[in-house]
DNA sequence: TATGAATGAGTTTTCATTCAT
DNA sequence: AATGAATGAAAACTCATTCAT
């Protein structure tokens, strides 16, 4: 990150094997489940020797959490960029845009959705610092912002999951307006009767 | 128990071992996880021979799903009885009472909570017929009752989980009023021009 | 055993279960092999409790040898009767008739053929006393009758087996004339230049 | 053996464990029977870890068929070399020499004989291509050479077996002249026109 | 770094046999 | 005689991890 002058090859190469392992593992985890995937299988699919696995990961659990963090980061970055969020939007608008776009992205890739919903919890998020950012963005317009965001997050993740993976009770497209409206209702509950309230017209 | 009304011996004995296995497995699954629990361990804890396991269950997966169904049924029955629901309550009151009581029950037993949240999905519920009952109870006061209940269920289950198991972001006691209010807000969104009827537009 | 006056029912009943077990076992042994057949399976197929097996047989091996003896006896009796052997035939004619008819019987039932070829050896035969009878029948027209019969028996059993079961290299119908001619040739080798030799014309 | 001509290390080592397993299994199979030999035993006798077995063989059945093919090849090669067959011999002489020598080899090693007779069938031979070679060698002097060879083979294998393993009805030494004469008799039956070769019209 | 043969503890699963009813 | 639940020893098979190359 600093010098970056040298070691372009070795770093790249290392990254290559590591990525091959993560990609292979992701596919196997999502297809057959974490418990039924062996390290041998992962190495084989990644076209890497079994021993090489231990050069980059401590064990299967380590691998899984690294994949989870990586995938979640990817999604959020992409959703943020693609959601068309602008500075002049208020928090609710921003949040709904981000959630809406994230759902679209996940809907395109149900394997990814499965994986994240199963492995990405609130604790992962709070550790990442993103939660604090979001709280900061509320700008004091809401009371108990952490609990509020927690409820919204759990609702979104959990409700999206079955819709994406099983299309139950409805598919994700149909669910989206319902979910966004429910989120709005929750937000409304937490709104401090500050700035507005009147211009609801 | 006394004479021999029907066939108490065989049935009871059979049920005994089976239950011993289910109880032992439940405890092990919740304490150390499904993947890290072996059939030998289950049998040992149940004080039953290893081979006996295969007399009652096909494999670990079969055992798990049988436990899940059994526990969920137990909880709901108990919550219904204890929730003090009466005929003259409206749907919202009934639902909030039931959820509130279920949360209390789960809060008392975080192992049970963990287990159910991880293994009890919307599909299990919809298969059980309970969902239809609940929909019938709405009495037409809400539009899209299935989606509405789906959202509420996912929110409740998902949000309760982390609160019970990790006390994150707050413990279940603190979370409860927030959750119930959020549910109310969602219900309000789906209310058909009922009580008020007039100011709709 | 002593009285033998009574117990017609019990004997019959006993025989019933025993036969059910033998029949079930025969079918399973021939279909899936002796090694892959369990006592549970046999009992289940015979519609008899597992424990009942041990009332009639010591173990799987005991059962097998009892079946073998029983089936072989059946075949030979039937072949003898059906072969149209008469007193005025010479040994060669009798032997060829018996073999020919036995092959026909086995050809009709390849499972039986499989079973017998795999389990019926020379030693079983020699123990049964049938061999001595056959030797006696040669009437001194052949030298080394035991070895001669041994060769013929092994050739017949072994060659018939693959023909019946796999139709390899040809089916049993095609093989029969070849086999009978080969047997004749062997017999000729052992003929003592007694009675004839001249009229070979 | 010396430097490193090609890839002696891996190949040799691999071959070593594999051979150790095959040798151990062969001994156990012949001594106690296939069904009564466990993989653990084989591995233990081969002084190899249990898991190593599965590196080289799918299961016990795979192992058995690989051993059978290997042993049969060995015997035939050795018999051919040691039988003193020369170009100027006719087919009968060659065949009898080969069979005679094979019987000697098998007689020296009754375990090997047992194993091969039980597991080496006509189909194995016909798949190996050796049968075609033998047929070609007959040079048209016999009709139906395949059936003829089939009969001879089955007779030889089957008759040798009991003689070698049980010395019943006589031992292999005594049996040999009888068997060879029987084979000659069969060959004679199949000879095409003429003792000699010229008047083939 | 990278490899992959080797390991052996640990797991699942089968099944002959017993025995209380 | 008949049953079949229960047993547990033993078998098959898996797999994370190590280590010599």
């Amino acid at each position: 990150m600093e010098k970056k002058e040298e070691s372009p090859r070795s770093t790249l190469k290392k990254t290559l094997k590591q990525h091959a392992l993560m990609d292979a593992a992701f596919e196997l985890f999502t297809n057959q489940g974490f418990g039924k995937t062996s390290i041998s299988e992962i190495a084989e699919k990644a076209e890497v020797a079994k021993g090489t696995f231990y050069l980059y990961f401590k064990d299967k659990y380590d691998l899984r959490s690294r994949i989870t963090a990586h995938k979640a980061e990817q999604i959020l970055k992409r959703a943020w960029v693609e959601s068309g969020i602008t500075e002049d939007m208020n928090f609710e608008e921003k949040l709904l845009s981000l959630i809406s776009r994230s759902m679209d992205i996940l809907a395109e890739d149900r394997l990814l959705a499965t994986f994240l919903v199963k492995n990405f919890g609130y604790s992962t998020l709070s550790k990442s610092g993103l939660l604090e950012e979001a709280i900061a963005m509320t700008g004091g317009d809401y009371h108990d912002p952490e609990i509020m965001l927690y409820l919204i997050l759990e609702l979104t993740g959990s409700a999206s999951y079955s819709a994406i993976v099983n299309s139950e009770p409805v598919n994700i497209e149909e669910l989206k307006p319902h979910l966004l409206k429910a989120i709005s209702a929750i937000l409304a509950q937490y709104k401090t009767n500050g700035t507005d309230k009147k211009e609801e017209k």
Side-chain angles (χ1 to χ4, degrees), chain A:
Chain A
M1 228 183 187
E2 299 76 358
K3 302 292 163 82
K4 70 167 44 194
E5 176 134 20
E6 46 147 83
S7 78
R9 270 162 310 155
S10 65
T11 304
L12 236 82
K13 246 188 175 173
K14 181 192 271 190
T15 304
L16 265 182
K17 303 246 176 197
Q18 200 171 347
H19 264 79
L21 283 165
M22 288 171 79
D23 289 350
F26 174 71
E27 206 172 321
L28 291 167
F29 286 169
T30 49
N31 281 326
Q32 25 178 281
F34 179 75
K36 289 194 174 166
T37 301
S38 71
I39 288 173
S40 305
E41 267 180 302
I42 297 169
E44 194 178 356
K45 178 155 214 146
E47 290 178 315
V48 147
K50 221 185 306 189
T52 306
F53 178 92
Y54 294 92
L55 253 31
Y56 297 109
F57 305 98
K58 190 179 159 291
D59 53 26
K60 235 176 27 169
Y61 301 92
D62 178 33
L63 173 57
R64 175 171 63 180
S65 63
R66 302 251 295 268
I67 294 174
T68 307
H70 184 249
K71 291 286 182 183
E73 196 190 324
Q74 261 180 216
I75 296 287
L76 283 174
K77 275 185 183 162
R78 204 183 127 195
W80 183 273
V81 169
E82 295 175 2
S83 62
I85 288 174
T86 57
E87 275 305 308
D88 60 317
M89 287 176 171
N90 65 21
F91 177 71
E92 179 165 351
E93 287 168 332
K94 284 180 185 168
L95 182 63
L96 292 178
S97 298
L98 192 65
I99 286 177
S100 175
R101 188 67 207 130
S102 297
M103 283 174 76
D104 293 342
I105 293 173
L106 288 174
E108 283 167 17
D109 187 349
R110 43 187 287 170
L111 287 185
L112 181 54
T114 306
F115 184 81
L116 281 182
V117 168
K118 286 205 167 163
N119 299 117
F120 186 75
Y122 176 77
S123 66
T124 312
L125 188 71
S126 71
K127 276 177 206 146
S128 75
L130 282 170
L131 194 73
E132 285 166 20
E133 268 186 64
I135 291 173
M137 279 172 59
T138 61
D141 296 344
Y142 301 89
H143 60 260
D144 296 314
E146 187 177 7
I147 296 179
M148 178 189 78
L149 285 169
Y150 171 70
L151 289 173
I152 290 171
L153 220 90
E154 293 291 339
L155 171 59
T156 304
S158 186
S160 299
Y161 175 65
S162 182
I164 290 170
V165 174
N166 313 312
S167 292
E168 246 185 352
V170 293
N171 66 40
I172 187 76
E173 294 309 323
E174 274 185 76
L175 181 69
K176 208 160 94 174
H178 290 274
L179 183 59
L180 296 179
K181 256 173 61 185
I183 292 171
S184 279
I186 294 174
L187 283 169
Q189 298 257 10
Y190 285 88
K191 204 155 212 165
T192 48
N193 47 352
T195 334
D196 27 49
K197 196 68 169 184
K198 36 205 113 152
E199 53 170 304
E200 60 192 309
K201 185 183 182 213

